[in-house]
Amino acid sequence: MLQWRGRPLDEVGYVLIGALALTLGTGAIYLNWQQAQRTSLQASQTRQAVGTIRQLLVMLYRGEAGQRGFLLTEEQGYLVPYQEAAEQLPKILERLHLLGEQQPAVRERVLEIDRLARAKMGELQTAVELLKEGDLVAAELLVRSNFGKQTMDQLVGKLEDLEKRVFVSEEKFSAELQEQMRRSAALTVICCVALFALFAIENRRVTNRKLAAERASEVKSAFLASMSHELRTPLNVIIGYTQMQQEEAEEAGRTSDLVDLKRIESAAKHLLVLINGVLELSKIEAGRLEVVPTEFGVEELVREVTGLVEPLAKRQGNGLTVDVGPEAGRMFSDATRIKQGLLNLTSNAAKFTAKGQITLRVSRVRRQDRDWIDFAVNDTGPGIRKDDLARLFEPFSQVDEQGPKQGGQQEGTGLGLVITRRLCRLLGGEVVVETAVGKGSTFTMQLPVEVTPGYFASKGAGPAVERRRVGAVVLGGDGEMLRGEIRKYGLEVETGWGGDGRPGLVAVGMDDWERVEQLKADPETAGIPVVMLGVGEEVLMKPVSNELLAAVILRHGTGEPSEAILVVGGGGTGLAGAIGRMGWRTVAASEGAEGLVKFGEERPGMVMVDLLMEGMDGFEFVRQLRLRADGREVPVVVMAEAGEEKRLRELGGAAMRKGGFPLARAAEQAAMMANRRMG
Amino acid sequence: MSEALKVLLVEDHELNRDMLSRRLLKRGFIVLLAEDGQQAIITAAQQQPDVILMDMSLPVLDGWEATRLLRQSARTAKIPVIALTAHALGNEQERALEAGCAAFETKPVDFEKLLGVIAQVTGRVL
């Protein structure tokens, strides 16, 4: 297609025609309006002229009446109207001449009237003066001569004729004016149509451009995805050979080579992170990123992220403060995506701040009639210049020239903020920035507490997910204390069996085995997970739901990503797999003896153990573990089945307490409190 | 390792094939090679490997189709296939599992993890 300044030529044609029509139309309306003004000016002049003619007539009659009265009575009073007429005549005639100038057609008549009026006035004047001099006879003769009457008759005839002519032209004016108004209206309509057409063309052009942009974005996403694939293949080769060479160098004791090989591997892995970032972004842009909303406790989520960021913050000598408001409560959103965003923001803050302070403040706020959770990450770093703010959310626009760098490693991808913003928008929220150069920056993720199902329906990004409430019922024990414990799981506490069905979890006090037996004996309640709350250690009664599992791990795990969770037993790889899918690193052992070996090798941050296993069972495992110096303090979660209570109690008495786990005293205290209450 | 595992590595990318096969050899595997899906089916039927590592984007016959055919043949139906792909987009894993793969690994391959997966699908302690 032919183009003119980037636009197709036919479009340019329409725009030109439209613009021309608009210009001409506006011009015509202006001219027409000017003409109408002239017409109405003429009309008003004419009305004035008619007034002048009538005034002249009235004045002459009054002058004549005054003169006659004076002749008959010789009383001076009659001279007043006559004198007035004599004074005003020149002014009125002047106005009449103006009419003659405006309308050349009546100029002759105006001159005639002027002459007659002056003659009449002359006759009146002569008579009055003769009388004043005492010559009554001469004055009377003059009046009787009929000259005055003739002049007057002529004058009246001429004036009436003039008035008629002037009046006719006023009718014409009003017709003209109407015509001009009609023309203006028509022209206005034409202009409006032209304007509308121009608007429509422009609108279509914008729409076309938008469609083109969308198409371009799709193409770009597909390109990025395939490019990522092409990039990953050679990277696969580089990383693979490097690792192989490292193994060989290690075997041969070539330590100097090892350093260089590690550098190659780390650079290649960084490149991989970069490519993954690009891929992630393209997935979001293509609308292919699925949002999986679940219900979770805000505090738990924050704690998890904190564990990951802390080592990074400390490397630059920063302090990390986390402040989760007590009102933060629970959220129904995509925890993985929120974690990802939070991780991006906090690690960014840690990256650009040295020997400063990083604060993560989480609060629940009300905006636009909805509840939001604000995750605000504040740092005391260099801040961001105003000029840079605009580019901040653009890919690869990292503003790192003023930030402290750590020897050129781990500089990030420059995609973190872009991805975070997209993720937040995906969840119905936004990222906002406040910053001051030299003082620091605050990045805040503002996310709705609940991602509405309608949001997904409209985006087609995933099925509407039904919200699942996990309530917990506290039975027995010290109610308040247990409730507090339950809240640490991020679960809602219900005071009794809810009217609408079964709770997601039942919590019982420490050593309250009778109650567990009751629950497990009744088929109605046998399927509900039971957690026996002690302090420092947990006993989970099967079946164990994923939520419960996650809550327990979050409660006891250190949050250090480097530390694994050792799963002993757990039905083959089933439990370890479930925990692994939730994002934790797991080490699985099929029974107790293997578990002890793996414990020594891996030094896990937490242990989960089944009671019943082939080989060494859970009881013996815990006993052995607590006898070891390195196994005394690790948190152990025991998963028990109904029927194992009695031996478990023995174990609790014999092994756990004797082993001296960190919160043993608190556990004893809790048990005592519970007993007192129950007793 | 009690008895050496026989691994069939199907990979069209020469360097990737060389690298991965050398690493497997070092760990004591018997390594068989194939460059495309068709070759993979023939080699699998004749050599009866214990496990197949299959790149999915292959010439002649792609990995998904090859896996499907392997599943249909009585001689190869029981050999576990581990899919290897550099595509990381969401449904790759589903597609691979649908085709009959026992497991799925994304490239670049985490070698130690891959060994674990091989142990898992073959039921052998390496």
Side-chain angles (χ1 to χ4, degrees):
Chain A
M1 205 186 297
L2 285 171
Q3 297 261 320
W4 184 76
R5 290 195 181 182
R7 293 190 187 190
L9 215 55
D10 64 333
E11 230 171 56
V12 175
Y14 286 133
V15 172
L16 276 180
I17 290 167
L20 201 67
L22 202 63
T23 313
L24 288 177
T26 320
I29 289 177
Y30 178 70
L31 290 177
N32 205 39
W33 172 76
Q34 267 196 331
Q35 207 182 336
Q37 268 212 326
R38 257 199 315 273
T39 308
S40 69
L41 181 71
Q42 277 179 3
S44 96
Q45 284 171 350
T46 307
R47 267 191 296 279
Q48 268 179 11
V50 170
T52 310
I53 291 164
R54 292 194 178 152
Q55 213 179 353
L56 180 60
L57 212 57
V58 168
M59 193 210 61
L60 287 171
Y61 275 128
R62 286 188 68 197
E64 191 176 46
Q67 177 230 34
R68 298 286 154 82
F70 184 62
L71 284 181
L72 287 174
T73 61
E74 284 186 55
E75 273 184 30
Q76 291 289 324
Y78 281 105
L79 279 179
V80 175
Y82 157 77
Q83 272 158 357
E84 271 175 19
E87 275 169 31
Q88 281 180 18
L89 185 72
K91 288 184 205 158
I92 293 174
L93 285 178
E94 215 171 286
R95 287 215 291 274
L96 208 60
H97 281 295
L98 213 62
L99 175 68
E101 279 165 30
Q102 286 159 3
Q103 297 184 37
V106 296
R107 185 174 292 158
E108 281 301 311
R109 286 184 179 76
V110 169
L111 290 177
E112 181 71 11
I113 288 167
D114 180 79
R115 191 183 55 78
L116 287 168
R118 284 179 198 278
K120 177 65 189 170
M121 211 56 212
E123 179 254 342
L124 292 178
Q125 197 175 4
T126 314
V128 169
E129 264 161 28
L130 283 173
L131 195 60
K132 273 186 182 165
E133 283 162 20
D135 197 344
L136 182 68
V137 183
E140 209 177 312
L141 271 172
L142 184 60
V143 174
R144 281 178 196 279
S145 71
N146 220 15
F147 168 75
K149 189 179 178 308
Q150 277 170 6
T151 314
M152 198 64 188
D153 287 347
Q154 264 185 331
L155 198 56
V156 169
K158 296 277 180 202
L159 280 173
E160 278 172 356
D161 175 57
L162 181 63
E163 195 183 318
K164 223 189 298 175
R165 281 173 185 278
V166 169
F167 198 71
V168 167
S169 60
E170 190 174 8
E171 273 176 356
K172 213 176 79 201
F173 286 148
S174 98
E176 241 174 65
L177 211 57
Q178 263 187 1
E179 172 60 26
Q180 282 155 0
M181 275 164 73
R182 230 174 282 138
R183 227 180 297 155
S184 287
L187 283 167
T188 308
V189 169
I190 289 168
C191 282
C192 282
V193 169
L195 200 65
F196 181 77
L198 269 181
F199 176 77
I201 289 167
E202 183 62 18
N203 197 36
R204 204 192 59 175
R205 203 174 59 77
V206 169
T207 312
N208 282 346
R209 198 185 280 175
K210 218 169 104 192
L211 280 174
E214 272 166 24
R215 265 199 302 276
S217 171
E218 272 166 37
V219 169
K220 192 180 76 183
S221 292
F223 167 72
L224 285 175
S226 77
M227 190 182 74
S228 293
H229 173 238
E230 294 308 312
L231 292 174
R232 286 162 80 100
T233 303
L235 257 171
N236 190 17
V237 175
I238 294 169
I239 293 172
Y241 275 112
T242 312
Q243 283 175 345
M244 199 166 82
Q245 286 296 309
Q246 279 181 55
E247 281 168 25
E248 278 167 15
E250 230 167 284
E251 281 160 19
R254 284 182 279 121
T255 37
S256 59
D257 288 355
L258 212 57
V259 177
D260 289 346
L261 288 167
K262 281 221 166 83
R263 281 182 187 144
I264 298 173
E265 192 192 351
S266 115
K269 281 188 168 162
H270 178 73
L271 194 54
L272 188 64
V273 171
L274 209 70
I275 292 166
N276 286 342
V278 171
L279 189 64
E280 177 94 3
L281 201 61
S282 75
K283 268 203 274 186
I284 298 173
E285 290 205 331
R288 290 178 72 167
L289 196 80
E290 231 174 88
V291 173
V292 186
T294 51
E295 195 182 319
F296 56 89
V298 174
E299 204 182 337
E300 277 70 29
L301 178 127
V302 172
R303 202 162 18 175
E304 226 178 300
V305 175
T306 312
L308 294 172
V309 178
E310 211 155 27
L312 185 63
K314 281 183 182 147
R315 218 183 319 163
Q316 295 250 79
N318 296 309
L320 181 66
T321 313
V322 180
D323 174 20
V324 182
E327 80 292 349
R330 300 181 63 72
M331 258 183 116
F332 180 71
S333 190
D334 192 326
T336 314
R337 301 301 164 199
I338 297 176
K339 246 184 278 173
Q340 197 181 346
L342 214 47
L343 210 59
N344 278 341
L345 293 187
T346 38
S347 57
N348 256 6
K351 217 174 289 165
F352 291 107
T353 311
K355 295 191 179 66
Q357 185 67 32
I358 295 159
T359 312
L360 169 57
R361 200 162 278 124
V362 184
S363 52
R364 181 183 283 251
V365 287
R366 194 145 181 93
R367 271 192 299 268
Q368 300 153 12
D369 282 334
R370 284 174 82 182
D371 273 1
W372 299 72
I373 302 284
D374 280 6
F375 298 91
V377 179
N378 170 265
D379 64 56
T380 55
I384 300 155
R385 282 193 307 256
K386 216 173 168 188
D387 299 349
D388 295 328
L389 261 179
R391 312 186 280 122
L392 202 57
F393 289 98
E394 282 167 24
F396 303 116
S397 66
Q398 219 172 45
V399 196
D400 55 2
E401 52 268 15
Q402 42 189 322
K405 273 198 221 163
Q406 343 165 56
Q409 38 162 286
Q410 274 296 312
E411 277 157 54
T413 59
L415 288 171
L417 273 180
V418 190
I419 291 174
T420 304
R421 166 171 275 188
R422 301 284 159 83
L423 288 175
C424 284
R425 290 184 176 171
L426 206 62
L427 298 175
E430 188 53 274
V431 182
V432 294
V433 195
E434 278 171 69
T435 184
V437 174
K439 287 190 177 156
S441 316
T442 306
F443 287 80
T444 307
M445 301 202 314
Q446 303 177 332
L447 298 173
V449 165
E450 258 182 71
V451 179
T452 49
Y455 175 75
F456 295 105
S458 69
K459 291 268 168 178
V465 180
E466 222 175 280
R467 185 173 174 171
R468 210 171 127 209
R469 288 199 162 271
V470 184
V473 171
V474 178
L475 296 173
D478 183 66
E480 265 318 298
M481 197 194 89
L482 285 185
R483 231 159 256 153
E485 290 288 303
I486 292 260
R487 283 202 194 94
K488 282 192 207 153
Y489 285 90
L491 295 177
E492 277 168 45
V493 179
E494 284 157 24
T495 44
W497 294 104
D500 50 339
R502 301 149 20 120
L505 173 77
V506 172
V508 299
M510 191 152 177
D511 289 339
D512 192 356
W513 295 107
E514 285 89 323
R515 222 175 277 273
V516 176
E517 265 166 56
Q518 279 171 19
L519 285 165
K520 293 298 169 186
D522 186 346
E524 276 270 300
T525 55
I528 302 172
V530 176
V531 56
M532 182 177 276
L533 294 167
V535 181
E537 224 102 344
E538 305 289 350
V539 178
L540 299 177
M541 305 304 294
K542 289 179 173 180
V544 180
S545 67
N546 273 358
E547 287 101 315
L548 183 57
L549 214 50
V552 167
I553 293 169
L554 285 172
R555 198 158 109 84
H556 293 291
T558 54
E560 286 281 321
S562 56
E563 283 187 343
I565 296 166
L566 174 62
V567 181
V568 186
T573 52
L575 182 64
I579 297 171
R581 276 192 293 281
M582 286 189 279
W584 280 283
R585 194 161 73 83
T586 57
V587 178
S590 59
E591 47 82 52
E594 194 194 340
L596 288 171
V597 173
K598 292 261 170 85
F599 184 86
E601 287 169 7
E602 294 282 340
R603 295 303 202 85
M606 163 177 189
V607 178
M608 303 193 76
V609 57
D610 239 357
L611 277 188
L612 286 186
M613 291 178 288
E614 299 283 315
M616 187 192 284
D617 67 12
F619 300 101
E620 188 56 29
F621 171 80
V622 176
R623 211 188 315 271
Q624 291 290 332
L625 187 67
R626 292 308 186 203
L627 286 172
R628 294 165 60 141
D630 58 354
R632 219 172 268 161
E633 298 206 345
V634 66
V636 175
V637 173
V638 179
M639 290 163 295
E641 222 135 1
E644 295 164 350
E645 298 88 352
K646 209 160 172 258
R647 284 194 65 195
L648 194 62
R649 189 176 351 196
E650 287 165 19
L651 177 75
M656 287 185 169
R657 290 207 184 125
K658 229 183 246 169
F661 57 89
L663 295 170
R665 186 175 283 184
E668 273 167 15
Q669 237 173 354
M672 268 163 57
M673 280 170 71
N675 286 336
R676 209 182 301 146
R677 180 62 67 91
M678 280 159 84
Chain B
M1 205 186 295
S2 45
E3 198 184 313
L5 269 181
K6 205 189 274 180
V7 178
L8 170 58
L9 174 62
V10 193
E11 168 70 82
D12 64 322
H13 194 279
E14 199 191 329
L15 289 176
N16 265 326
R17 197 171 56 240
D18 175 66
M19 180 266 293
L20 206 53
S21 63
R22 274 166 67 183
R23 296 189 83 179
L24 288 166
L25 281 169
K26 268 191 72 183
R27 298 295 177 113
F29 289 93
I30 299 164
V31 183
L32 305 168
L33 297 173
E35 281 179 278
D36 59 59
Q38 201 178 342
Q39 249 186 47
I41 291 172
I42 296 165
T43 313
Q46 289 172 349
Q47 303 294 321
Q48 295 289 309
D50 296 300
V51 62
I52 300 171
L53 302 181
M54 179 94 75
D55 180 32
M56 297 316 261
S57 326
L58 289 170
V60 187
L61 196 63
D62 72 25
W64 293 282
E65 200 48 50
T67 306
R68 236 170 257 130
L69 291 172
L70 283 167
R71 288 285 79 89
Q72 282 165 18
S73 158
R75 281 180 66 79
T76 54
K78 292 227 164 67
I79 306 171
V81 176
I82 299 171
L84 304 177
T85 161
H87 285 287
L89 284 178
N91 60 350
E92 287 296 310
Q93 184 162 8
E94 275 166 46
R95 273 184 74 197
L97 298 182
E98 249 169 52
C101 293
F104 173 93
E105 283 300 311
T106 309
K107 292 182 189 174
V109 170
D110 180 337
F111 193 65
E112 298 303 322
K113 198 173 157 211
L114 180 66
L115 293 181
V117 174
I118 291 174
Q120 204 185 337
V121 298
T122 55
R124 300 267 285 272
V125 180
L126 301 178

